[in-house]
Amino acid sequence: MAQWTSAVGATQLARLLTSQQARPAGAGSRRPPAYRALADGIRLLVLEGRVPVAARLPAERELAVALSVSRTTVAAAYEALRTEGFLESRRGAGSWTAVPAGNPLPARGLEPLPPEAVGSMIDLGCAALPAPEPWLTRAVQGALEELPPYAHTHGDYPAGLPALRAMLAERYTARGIPTMPEQIMVTTGAMGAIDAICHLFAGRGERIAVESPSYANILQLMREAGARLVPVAMAEGLRGWDLDRWRQVLRDAAPRLAYVVADFHNPTGALADEDQRRQLVDAARSAGTVLVVDETMSELALDDVEMPRPVCGFDPAGATVITVGSASKAFWAGMRIGWVRAAPDVIRSLVAARAYADLGTPVLEQLAVNWLLSTGGWREAVNVRREQARDNRDALVAAVRRELPGWEFEVPHGGLTLWVRTGGLSGSRLAEVGERVGVRVPSGPRFGVDGAFEGYVRLPFTVGGAVADEAAVRLAAAARLVEKGAGGGMQAPQSFVA
């Protein structure tokens, strides 16, 4: 019986390997043998999770043709990987990826740092801040006071607690978007909301247009749902969307869904202006594409900036835009409460489908969010969150500019993330070496489709002060190791030539 559970084609693997190409080796640096560069490239794809563990690799001859190298090069690379524990083979079954004994399985998305590693590792992996106290404690205490009447019921509310649905609808109405409670469904975080939307609208094999780059965990969710992702490049810098590209993709690919983050985009921090929002809604309506708008960062304006109208404000009929919100970024990631705003018939369909998913969202957490929204605690907690994120952003920006002056970025006016061009270094290799020197950072390709953005990393505003300074020092140390090609074959692949 074969030991592999999926397969990677020769063309796909060649494309992923090509995306890792780093800047040319400097004078005096050693160029690794072609087989070593190939083995390192495959090993890194496995460690990054972009090639799954237990994935069957193409036959030596097929990969040699795809890479335009000799079969001897591929055979030597495979043998090196077997020796190191990253490949297993059996006659008649082929070769499949593995991880050496004692190594953790790679995460496909952005996993939180294990608690036992907190003392030794600076975690820049997750864009999430500690809870804004005392508001979390007060919210839970308020929820407990409101719980007894609900405890006498079955506790299943597939659409969400009526009180919270009404409160969320009232908040949209206050923003100039008339909304009824029937247009709201409460979910288990924004991820739960988008998962439900994808299952309802985009079956396996359907196209979904996504910004490029986009939020890594959502991209992985869509891949695992069987979607065919169609990337649409962002405009340069922080200028939001490239509408010409969006119109072309919507017209030519006719995706069933499109997923966008209009407010302080994750990872770039871009803020789409009102004209871009209007044009994108018009283009999606013309193409028959449902536009899923992620508003999880919308309340995290860190500078004095005028916020545009919500994207759903340009869809008065409610047939094109579905909005997703969440408490996780503005309040706390441990508060797993999200919501969907959509037309009533869409909400009814989502609620009906939920009977075969998670049935509903925890009542106590819904009561806690409702307490925050109804007492003014939400507003005060978000103000605390903004101040903390602003201080962290400014500290991190100053530290990176001091320690890594060759890295390029624009400072966003809100959100929680900095999108950084790494001066030609491989983001994947920086992420791997960073783990060794005590700083955890996600590489750019996690936020792209098919290996894009190898020359980037994402830095969230989760640390400040002396910790931000130390994080930049460790990133600079990782960058020096990558530049030298040190640390166990860390030299980026130059070219795969025999």
Side-chain angles (χ1 to χ4, degrees), residues 7 34 50-51 89 126 146 224 246 252 302 316 392 430 432 470:
R50 288 188 282 148
V51 168
S89 304
C126 294
E146 298 291 333
E224 294 185 359
W246 269 105
D252 296 347
L302 306 183
N392 286 356
L430 283 166
E432 185 185 9
E470 179 61 22

Side-chain angles (χ1 to χ4, degrees), residues 301-384:
L302 306 183
D303 298 324
D304 186 14
V305 57
E306 184 177 353
M307 292 298 294
R309 272 193 298 166
V311 177
C312 58
F314 300 95
D315 180 37
T320 299
V321 176
I322 297 177
T323 303
V324 172
S326 171
S328 65
K329 299 300 185 186
F331 187 74
W332 184 47
M335 188 70 77
R336 304 305 305 157
I337 298 295
W339 52 87
V340 178
R341 181 203 180 272
D345 61 319
V346 172
I347 295 297
R348 286 193 294 270
S349 296
L350 288 169
V351 171
R354 196 169 194 178
Y356 309 101
D358 64 357
L359 293 177
T361 303
V363 170
L364 188 63
E365 292 186 29
Q366 292 187 71
L367 288 172
V369 171
N370 191 60
W371 183 92
L372 287 165
L373 294 173
S374 61
T375 63
W378 179 273
R379 181 180 60 255
E380 295 189 42
V382 169
N383 286 337
V384 170

Side-chain angles (χ1 to χ4, degrees), residues 140-390:
V140 173
Q141 291 171 341
L144 287 171
E145 293 175 2
E146 298 291 333
L147 183 61
Y150 294 94
H152 293 292
T153 73
H154 49 64
D156 287 335
Y157 296 88
L161 294 184
L164 181 54
R165 295 176 74 195
M167 181 60 66
L168 292 168
E170 183 180 314
R171 282 170 55 82
Y172 279 105
T173 300
R175 295 168 68 190
I177 314 298
T179 303
M180 304 179 295
E182 292 79 9
Q183 292 177 261
I184 301 292
M185 181 177 84
V186 181
T187 63
T188 307
M191 292 286 289
I194 294 170
D195 182 57
I197 293 166
C198 288
H199 278 90
L200 180 63
F201 284 94
R204 186 166 293 275
E206 291 274 9
R207 294 184 181 91
I208 301 179
V210 295
E211 296 152 327
S212 183
S214 186
Y215 179 39
N217 286 340
I218 294 296
L219 295 181
Q220 191 57 35
L221 181 155
M222 292 175 175
R223 290 187 189 102
E224 294 185 359
R228 298 164 61 189
L229 301 183
V230 183
V232 187
M234 298 286 288
E236 287 296 319
L238 300 178
R239 290 185 290 125
W241 300 317
D242 185 325
L243 269 300
D244 289 337
R245 289 175 175 171
W246 269 105
R247 279 188 285 266
Q248 180 180 356
V249 166
L250 294 175
R251 181 182 64 248
D252 296 347
R256 185 71 183 90
L257 286 179
Y259 168 76
V260 297
V261 184
D263 302 297
F264 308 121
H265 175 261
N266 186 355
T268 67
L271 177 66
D273 62 33
E274 287 207 0
D275 188 53
Q276 289 176 324
R277 296 169 190 233
R278 180 185 297 105
Q279 290 189 53
L280 185 56
V281 172
D282 289 345
R285 184 183 299 116
S286 297
T289 297
V290 175
L291 193 60
V292 181
V293 180
D294 186 335
E295 285 192 336
T296 54
M297 296 281 194
S298 63
E299 297 192 59
L300 292 175
L302 306 183
D303 298 324
D304 186 14
V305 57
E306 184 177 353
M307 292 298 294
R309 272 193 298 166
V311 177
C312 58
F314 300 95
D315 180 37
T320 299
V321 176
I322 297 177
T323 303
V324 172
S326 171
S328 65
K329 299 300 185 186
F331 187 74
W332 184 47
M335 188 70 77
R336 304 305 305 157
I337 298 295
W339 52 87
V340 178
R341 181 203 180 272
D345 61 319
V346 172
I347 295 297
R348 286 193 294 270
S349 296
L350 288 169
V351 171
R354 196 169 194 178
Y356 309 101
D358 64 357
L359 293 177
T361 303
V363 170
L364 188 63
E365 292 186 29
Q366 292 187 71
L367 288 172
V369 171
N370 191 60
W371 183 92
L372 287 165
L373 294 173
S374 61
T375 63
W378 179 273
R379 181 180 60 255
E380 295 189 42
V382 169
N383 286 337
V384 170
R385 169 67 74 242
R386 287 173 179 154
E387 183 177 350
Q388 184 180 14
R390 184 186 304 112

